[in-house]
Amino acid sequence: NTGDDFEHFGLHISPDADTLLYTLADMNNTELGWGRRDETWNVAEAGRQVGLDTWFRLGDKDLAVHLYRSQRLGQGVSLTQVCRELCSRFNVDTHIVPMSDDAVRTQVESDIGVLSFQEYFVKNKCKPKVSAIHFKGIEVAAPSPAFLDSLEDEQLRAIIICPSNPFLSIDPILSLPTLRERIKKCGKPVIVVSPLVQGQSIKGPTVKIMRELDLLCDVRTIAELYQDIATAIVIDRQDEAATDDVAAMGLAVHSAAIVMNTLQDKIDLARTLINISQTL
Amino acid sequence: NTGDDFEHFGLHISPDADTLLYTLADMNNTELGWGRRDETWNVAEAGRQVGLDTWFRLGDKDLAVHLYRSQRLGQGVSLTQVCRELCSRFNVDTHIVPMSDDAVRTQVESDIGVLSFQEYFVKNKCKPKVSAIHFKGIEVAAPSPAFLDSLEDEQLRAIIICPSNPFLSIDPILSLPTLRERIKKCGKPVIVVSPLVQGQSIKGPTVKIMRELDLLCDVRTIAELYQDIATAIVIDRQDEAATDDVAAMGLAVHSAAIVMNTLQDKIDLARTLINISQTL
């Protein structure tokens, strides 16, 4: 998802791609929950004296990545290529592919005005009441070629929609022109992992936003969001009572422990998802 | 002089303004001869791992200033205003005024191709042979309003052209449209301090460039460069033999100790220049 991307101090920042990069490189800052491990804050410290905006905290090591990305983009290289180069520099074998090389910017309509994603999420800590979410530039954005290639790759076995925020993190991707059609056309199982457990968000403002958008906060509503493309949905064991209701929508329903606190939890859920994909 | 300005990693860097700022704020790095005192290099260190270009070294504290400037320019604020804000933040009472709010970029034609100023000066350490120097954008650049105001300020007593590189540091300013005429029109004494002593540069590649441009490396040639606008020239005592020759060009010639190694040297020369200005 590059709807979270933004330009700050003239730099191009890609928070989602960076989080993946740092996590897969085992360099993520587990204390903060974002940014890089063993981070230092010398620039931010000096920035305070100069009067630099401090609501988006930039660590020194993190900043080096933003400088690199900004330089490469300025040289005309695509965001996809920059991601590839960063993965290579950090010895990450997994392909991190941005949804698009074109600028898409998530904008949150709220009770305090229209906010960029970072203004909503970081600066205002998700407190404003959301009335609508737009993805500026989406109409003319093309899915990145590497993204399309992966959808058409014969080795592709399944598409997993992780328990991310459906409105802020998944919808920007699915709203790319032709994307939903291409996912359907590729014919591979699409497995959705519910971001809700017992009507509560696993993480972040999902439920808060659902309430503000007058949606029921249950797995059935989640299933509806993805109904046109999903093959299966994985709900938490605690939500098993909803199985028949969701299955009636034409989806395969599986239950598992979907709250991931430890690395082992993540490995277990990943294995479960692979196993499920083989049954579809 | 903003001909040295450049965009690097998406940031707007103003080396000349920053050098003035750090020096007047008594924060300059006297060991390195550039940048800020007590500097740290965490971003550059992390940048090395990412593959960031390292030929232009950016300290963490220095970087904070570039981030601030880039952000403010991105918000549509003029470079003049950014300089004003930075002076205020660093408690510098002196007005540091950029020559122009428009982009002017010094380009050096050399035996290895056309180089930006920083590529010539920093990346290639002034080694390439210079055949010509251009100021890209100069034809459509306006002198900054604050610069013009200072020329028309009734409190202005004299204009001092410091012993900087005439081709790289002074000529960008004097090449601004209407500038030479405005300087003449303001009617105040213009005092040039020679950048040469006994045919050698006080600092930097002045003499090297003069040779490459087939110019004689003497104070007479310097006087010729500024002849149309200068009232007086201050040469080093060691060059007193040239006095009559230069005076014949219609300039008042003063001699002094113009090599500044210590702060006291600088104070002494400044006092001398003020005294000279009062005789003109």
Side-chain angles (χ1 to χ4, degrees):
Chain A
N1 165 33
T2 58
D4 297 7
D5 284 23
F6 72 125
E7 280 74 37
H8 201 41
F9 312 132
L11 301 176
H12 183 110
I13 302 182
S14 292
D16 280 10
D18 285 348
T19 296
L20 287 171
L21 177 70
Y22 299 157
T23 304
L24 291 170
D26 195 21
M27 291 181 147
N28 54 318
N29 192 319
T30 48
E31 267 168 74
L32 287 175
W34 52 269
R36 288 178 66 173
R37 193 174 301 163
D38 303 322
E39 188 55 287
T40 59
W41 306 91
N42 292 5
V43 175
E45 194 62 47
R48 206 160 299 147
Q49 187 203 10
V50 188
L52 205 63
D53 271 354
T54 52
W55 60 267
F56 194 88
R57 293 181 66 200
L58 284 172
D60 299 328
K61 290 181 179 175
D62 195 27
L63 202 44
V65 170
H66 306 320
L67 291 173
Y68 179 78
R69 179 185 300 107
S70 304
Q71 182 180 37
R72 294 294 284 149
L73 291 174
Q75 291 166 343
V77 163
S78 71
L79 194 58
T80 301
Q81 174 62 16
V82 177
C83 282
R84 201 176 285 139
E85 291 171 359
L86 287 169
C87 284
S88 162
R89 293 282 180 179
F90 285 83
N91 298 314
V92 169
D93 290 333
T94 313
H95 297 179
I96 300 176
V97 176
M99 66 186 211
S100 177
D101 290 327
D102 302 319
V104 175
R105 297 291 175 265
T106 298
Q107 294 192 310
V108 179
E109 269 186 41
S110 79
D111 56 345
I112 63 164
V114 178
L115 305 170
S116 72
F117 175 81
Q118 300 298 338
E119 285 172 329
Y120 168 73
F121 196 79
V122 179
K123 193 171 185 180
N124 288 288
K125 301 183 174 63
C126 308
K127 283 176 195 159
K129 189 171 180 242
V130 176
S131 52
I133 296 165
H134 302 292
F135 310 117
K136 199 180 156 195
I138 195 89
E139 303 80 8
V140 290
S144 68
F147 184 13
L148 294 182
D149 284 350
S150 69
L151 286 179
E152 286 167 15
D153 190 330
E154 58 179 25
Q155 292 195 55
L156 177 68
R157 299 213 323 247
I159 296 167
I160 294 167
I161 297 182
C162 293
S164 257
N165 189 304
F167 314 99
L168 293 171
S169 302
I170 308 295
D171 202 26
I173 305 174
L174 296 180
S175 296
L176 283 166
T178 75
L179 215 270
R180 293 184 105 103
E181 287 69 36
R182 284 173 191 267
I183 287 176
K184 281 184 247 177
K185 217 181 70 183
C186 82
K188 303 294 162 65
V190 176
I191 307 170
V192 173
V193 182
S194 171
L196 301 186
V197 174
Q198 292 273 290
Q200 299 299 315
S201 314
I202 291 182
K203 197 181 165 189
T206 305
V207 159
K208 177 174 182 290
I209 291 174
M210 290 180 87
R211 287 202 186 111
E212 289 162 2
L213 297 177
D214 283 330
L215 295 169
L216 282 177
C217 303
D218 55 22
V219 291
R220 192 193 152 84
T221 309
I222 298 295
E224 278 168 0
L225 294 173
Y226 299 115
Q227 195 174 4
D228 60 329
I229 52 165
T231 318
I233 183 163
V234 180
I235 60 175
D236 196 75
R237 291 200 200 290
Q238 299 175 66
D239 283 321
E240 273 176 358
T243 304
D244 291 350
D245 200 20
V246 176
M249 292 166 65
L251 292 181
V253 183
H254 295 261
S255 69
I258 64 172
V259 179
M260 296 169 279
N261 291 315
T262 65
L263 180 61
Q264 192 57 50
D265 293 341
K266 294 175 193 179
I267 293 169
D268 291 344
L269 182 56
R271 287 219 171 96
T272 300
L273 293 169
I274 292 170
N275 290 338
I276 291 171
S277 77
Q278 285 162 345
T279 69
L280 298 168
Chain B
N1 166 33
T2 58
D4 297 7
D5 284 24
F6 71 125
E7 281 74 35
H8 202 40
F9 313 132
L11 301 174
H12 183 110
I13 303 182
S14 293
D16 279 11
D18 285 348
T19 297
L20 287 171
L21 178 69
Y22 300 156
T23 304
L24 291 170
D26 195 21
M27 291 181 147
N28 54 317
N29 192 319
T30 47
E31 266 167 76
L32 286 175
W34 52 268
R36 289 178 65 172
R37 192 175 301 164
D38 303 322
E39 187 56 285
T40 58
W41 306 92
N42 292 4
V43 176
E45 194 62 47
R48 208 160 299 147
Q49 188 203 8
V50 187
L52 204 64
D53 272 353
T54 52
W55 61 267
F56 194 87
R57 293 182 65 199
L58 285 171
D60 299 328
K61 290 181 179 176
D62 194 27
L63 203 43
V65 171
H66 306 320
L67 291 174
Y68 180 79
R69 179 186 300 108
S70 304
Q71 181 180 39
R72 295 294 283 148
L73 291 175
Q75 291 166 343
V77 163
S78 71
L79 193 59
T80 301
Q81 174 62 18
V82 178
C83 283
R84 201 177 284 137
E85 291 171 0
L86 287 170
C87 284
S88 162
R89 292 283 179 179
F90 286 83
N91 298 313
V92 169
D93 290 333
T94 313
H95 297 177
I96 300 175
V97 176
M99 67 187 210
S100 177
D101 289 328
D102 302 319
V104 176
R105 298 292 175 264
T106 299
Q107 295 192 309
V108 179
E109 268 185 43
S110 79
D111 54 346
I112 63 164
V114 178
L115 305 170
S116 73
F117 174 81
Q118 300 298 338
E119 286 172 329
Y120 168 74
F121 196 77
V122 179
K123 193 172 185 179
N124 288 288
K125 302 182 173 66
C126 308
K127 284 177 194 159
K129 189 171 180 241
V130 175
S131 52
I133 296 166
H134 302 293
F135 310 117
K136 200 182 155 193
I138 196 88
E139 303 80 9
V140 290
S144 68
F147 183 15
L148 294 181
D149 283 352
S150 69
L151 285 179
E152 285 165 15
D153 189 329
E154 59 179 25
Q155 292 196 55
L156 176 68
R157 299 213 321 250
I159 296 167
I160 295 167
I161 297 182
C162 293
S164 257
N165 188 305
F167 313 99
L168 293 171
S169 304
I170 307 296
D171 202 25
I173 305 174
L174 295 180
S175 297
L176 283 166
T178 74
L179 216 269
R180 293 185 104 102
E181 288 69 36
R182 284 172 191 268
I183 288 176
K184 281 184 245 176
K185 217 180 72 184
C186 84
K188 303 294 161 65
V190 176
I191 307 170
V192 173
V193 182
S194 171
L196 301 186
V197 174
Q198 292 273 289
Q200 298 299 316
S201 313
I202 290 182
K203 199 182 163 188
T206 305
V207 159
K208 177 174 181 290
I209 292 174
M210 290 179 86
R211 286 201 187 114
E212 289 163 0
L213 296 177
D214 283 329
L215 295 169
L216 281 176
C217 303
D218 55 22
V219 291
R220 192 194 153 84
T221 309
I222 297 295
E224 278 168 1
L225 294 172
Y226 300 116
Q227 195 175 4
D228 61 327
I229 53 165
T231 319
I233 184 164
V234 180
I235 60 177
D236 195 75
R237 290 200 201 291
Q238 298 176 65
D239 283 321
E240 273 175 358
T243 303
D244 290 350
D245 200 21
V246 176
M249 293 166 63
L251 293 180
V253 183
H254 295 262
S255 69
I258 65 172
V259 179
M260 295 170 280
N261 290 315
T262 66
L263 180 61
Q264 192 56 49
D265 292 342
K266 294 176 193 179
I267 294 169
D268 290 345
L269 182 57
R271 287 220 170 95
T272 301
L273 292 168
I274 292 170
N275 291 337
I276 290 172
S277 77
Q278 287 164 344
T279 69
L280 297 169

